[in-house]
Amino acid sequence: MQVKVTVDSPRDVKVDVLAVAVGELEGKQKKLPAALASLDTAAGGAVSQVVKNGDFGGKKGQSLVVYPQGSGRGSLKADRLLLVGIGNADEQSVDDIRALGGRVVKGARGKKATKIALVAPSAKGHGNEVICQALAEGAVLADYKYDRFLTDDGKKKPARKRATLSVVYARLAKPAPARAGAKRGTILAESQNLARDLSNAPGNAMTPVRLTAEAVKMARAVGLRTRVMAVPELQKRKMGGILGVGQGSTNPPRLAILEHKPRGLKANSPTLCIVGKGITFDSGGISLKPGAGMHEMKHDMSGAATVVGAMRAIRMLNIPVHVVGLIAAAENMPSDTAYRPGDILTMHSGHTVEIQNTDAEGRLVLADALAYANKTYKPTAMIDLATLTGACMVALGDWATGLMGTDDKLIEEIKAAGERVNEIQWPLPLFDDHKKLMKGSVSDLKNAGAGRSAGMSTAAGFLSAFVGDTPWVHLDIAGTGWTSRSGPYQGSGATGVGVRMLVDFLEHWKPRSRKPRKAARK
Ligand code: BES
Ligand code: MN
Ligand code: ZN
């Protein structure tokens, strides 16, 4: 999907579908606003007709395709007119505009259109840059479909035709901001779609080796530094968590690192580490999961997928912050080589962990990645994203990400970023008691066995042992990583949650000076 900004008279654009956002029409007369009235004239009255007979009134959620009547000079060049109802035109939020972009593309694609145009909407309180970014995000996200494994009755399906959406301004003195917005929105949504692609891929097509190879492929394409640790290096570095979880599978584990280090950063500029859980399939291991719904555990690398997508956007938008993305990848399988309940693992940090449930594997791979990130990069802050607990699903469903951490300011900043991109992240507690519950008796820690209560917080409690005193936020995306609901710009399946949020967070991040750390050593 390509999104362009053009300056032209809407009636002159030759496209398969010309879309126009229509606010709720009021009164019995249902008088058309001026811009729509002129389109109506060019369409030979096709709009006023459906308005008059009550088929369309501009209500939010309502949309209708009408066919222009008449021909000749001054008539509409588009084959179809798509009327998209937006409700109160004076109160459009950024997410309403995103939804508009999505509805235009879905509506037009439903008519097999590839050449699509939208009369640039004017949204009170938002500049053209913001409007075009939101439109592009909505359009590119809505155009996503995971169809890699669909055939034409056994024969290879031809690739879906690429569509173009032109946002048409009748007049625009300075097109640069609108164009910049469309470009930004496209980069963000394409990066989110990359995360969705990785996450939707089944376990047989997305092993740890494959996942990290995909990360490297992306990194090379955009110019990020990369490093992938295979088993010998993981052994050398004593990554007992990643190795333990991965040892039951013939698909070996990996730790991948993607680094964005823009030129010319000041010596004391901040560093952010983002860590993703990359369990390419979670069978539960020896503590095998029940069969129903197990296939969904192919999504258990959604956190890692988000890190890959976010790193792409961060690099392409050249965000002026040093960011390191880590992907802890393993497959959790039962076998004669699998780790067992009762095993004690020695982690990268040196801590020992008794395995009480091999299905609590995410925290083990994250623990090594977090400890490694903290030691190696001495980051200003760390964020991890993980489909970590069933408890998160129970508490929040796919409505909100579970938000926990050790630093109230960082938690607030993450929460605010989510609100700005319309991804809800809901705070949950992380008490000292949650940390204590994860202490072991024959080992420093245990990976499970704290009971069913507060499962999201005890998981975070376990992780907190591996982050030192670095401000850290844990995002449990067990519920938000995929969805069965489809919205105006979001279909069912993997969501790529967190990609846009992380970029937005970085753009607003005001870290506390991390000088004290260095000063302490003097
Ligand atoms: N990947 C699962 C969590 C999960 C469950 C994500 C459902 C999405 C949907 C995780 O590895 C897991 O199995 N967690 C266990 C932990 C327990 C054994 C302490 C859980 O939540 O049941
Ligand atoms: Mn599990
Ligand atoms: Zn898991």
Side-chain angles (χ1 to χ4, degrees):
M1 179 93 221
Q2 197 197 350
V3 182
K4 297 194 296 192
V5 172
T6 55
V7 185
D8 205 343
S9 155
R11 65 168 70 193
D12 290 333
V13 293
K14 248 184 88 50
V15 287
D16 303 323
V17 169
L18 173 64
V20 55
V22 184
E24 188 151 3
L25 302 166
E26 274 163 48
K28 279 233 162 48
Q29 269 352 88
K30 305 238 161 146
K31 199 170 164 297
L32 301 181
L36 189 58
S38 94
L39 276 180
D40 181 44
T41 310
V47 180
S48 45
Q49 193 188 2
V50 291
V51 168
K52 207 189 307 157
N53 57 32
D55 287 352
F56 182 83
K59 275 202 170 43
K60 193 172 178 168
Q62 192 183 32
S63 51
L64 189 68
V65 173
V66 298
Y67 292 83
Q69 307 295 312
S71 57
R73 280 194 66 198
S75 66
L76 210 67
K77 300 275 194 310
D79 292 342
R80 302 170 190 81
L81 201 52
L82 170 62
L83 308 173
V84 185
I86 59 167
N88 188 340
D90 292 336
E91 280 177 21
Q92 296 290 301
S93 68
V94 172
D95 201 57
D96 288 330
I97 303 167
R98 207 175 279 126
L100 172 63
R103 292 171 60 200
V104 167
V105 167
K106 284 191 183 181
R109 281 288 209 178
K111 295 287 172 197
K112 305 243 180 318
T114 54
K115 274 190 272 171
I116 311 164
L118 167 68
V119 179
S122 61
K124 249 192 199 160
H126 309 294
N128 288 331
E129 183 160 5
V130 169
I131 292 174
C132 287
Q133 179 182 331
L135 286 173
E137 286 175 11
V140 175
L141 289 172
D143 204 36
Y144 175 83
K145 194 168 183 287
Y146 189 69
D147 53 11
R148 250 180 71 195
F149 290 96
L150 293 176
T151 74
D152 206 349
D153 201 15
K155 285 189 210 57
K156 196 174 164 359
K157 242 192 171 152
R160 217 156 60 108
K161 278 201 191 121
R162 245 171 95 92
T164 310
L165 171 67
S166 309
V167 182
V168 184
Y169 285 85
R171 276 174 307 279
L172 187 61
K174 283 194 217 109
R179 295 212 161 108
K183 189 167 167 213
R184 256 182 73 80
T186 303
I187 289 173
L188 285 163
E190 280 176 346
S191 301
Q192 186 170 344
N193 286 347
L194 168 63
R196 293 162 90 185
D197 253 345
L198 296 174
S199 186
N200 276 326
N204 61 342
M206 195 50 67
T207 60
V209 168
R210 184 70 191 272
L211 174 60
T212 49
E214 290 291 330
V216 168
K217 191 172 125 198
M218 177 285 291
R220 293 228 171 98
V222 302
L224 288 164
R225 280 198 229 169
T226 57
R227 212 149 77 77
V228 178
M229 293 186 204
V231 170
E233 189 172 358
L234 295 172
Q235 283 167 337
K236 199 181 92 196
R237 297 185 187 278
K238 301 194 165 57
M239 303 260 184
I242 297 176
L243 288 165
V245 172
Q247 76 187 38
S249 172
T250 45
N251 297 310
R254 290 285 186 272
L255 176 66
I257 301 168
L258 311 175
E259 187 170 5
H260 168 65
K261 195 166 194 178
R263 255 172 252 244
L265 285 183
K266 290 204 190 88
N268 64 348
S269 74
T271 296
L272 178 73
C273 287
I274 49 180
V275 178
K277 169 177 172 180
I279 300 298
T280 57
F281 183 68
D282 181 13
S283 68
I286 297 294
S287 316
L288 195 64
K289 284 182 183 294
M294 201 203 270
H295 67 283
E296 287 199 340
M297 284 299 124
K298 68 177 180 180
H299 289 284
D300 211 20
M301 30 61 70
S302 294
T306 294
V307 169
V308 176
M311 291 305 295
R312 177 186 186 269
I314 288 164
R315 169 73 186 115
M316 289 185 78
L317 298 170
N318 212 4
I319 305 290
V321 183
H322 180 209
V323 186
V324 185
L326 295 96
I327 289 154
E331 185 176 42
N332 189 19
M333 287 298 218
S335 75
D336 63 334
T337 62
Y339 78 139
R340 350 161 162 64
D343 282 3
I344 296 178
L345 306 180
T346 301
M347 310 291 282
H348 176 69
S349 64
H351 296 98
T352 56
V353 178
E354 184 189 15
I355 304 309
Q356 294 211 350
N357 189 326
T358 62
D359 199 10
E361 83 297 337
R363 59 196 74 184
L364 298 168
V365 301
L366 288 172
D368 276 351
L370 284 165
Y372 179 80
N374 195 34
K375 191 178 76 183
T376 310
Y377 300 98
K378 303 210 165 22
T380 319
M382 296 201 285
I383 301 169
D384 76 78
L385 301 101
T387 46
L388 204 61
T389 65
C392 175
M393 285 272 288
V394 173
L396 302 170
D398 64 358
W399 300 100
T401 293
L403 169 58
M404 288 142 280
T406 54
D407 186 277
D408 288 342
K409 182 170 175 286
L410 187 63
I411 289 174
E412 255 334 296
E413 288 177 290
I414 292 283
K415 187 163 184 288
E419 279 162 17
R420 286 189 296 264
V421 302
N422 210 49
E423 290 179 355
I424 304 170
Q425 303 168 106
W426 210 253
L428 283 123
L430 171 49
F431 301 141
D432 282 343
D433 273 342
H434 295 134
K435 301 177 188 171
K436 280 190 205 137
L437 276 168
M438 302 312 292
K439 293 227 182 312
S441 51
V442 294
S443 57
D444 303 336
L445 295 151
K446 55 188 185 193
N447 79 326
R452 279 164 57 86
S453 310
M456 210 179 339
S457 296
T458 54
F462 178 89
L463 293 176
S464 72
F466 300 89
V467 301
D469 55 7
T470 302
W472 157 74
V473 155
H474 162 57
L475 298 170
D476 196 332
I477 59 166
T480 50
W482 64 94
T483 181
S484 50
R485 290 181 292 136
S486 93
Y489 55 86
Q490 186 89 62
S492 62
T495 59
V497 70
V499 171
R500 287 181 293 116
M501 183 282 293
L502 285 168
V503 173
D504 188 282
F505 162 76
L506 279 165
E507 286 182 324
H508 293 84
W509 190 27
K510 299 217 166 49
R512 274 191 285 255
S513 155
R514 52 181 296 253
K515 277 285 158 201
R517 272 196 160 198
K518 290 205 170 137
R521 263 190 239 126
K522 275 180 199 159

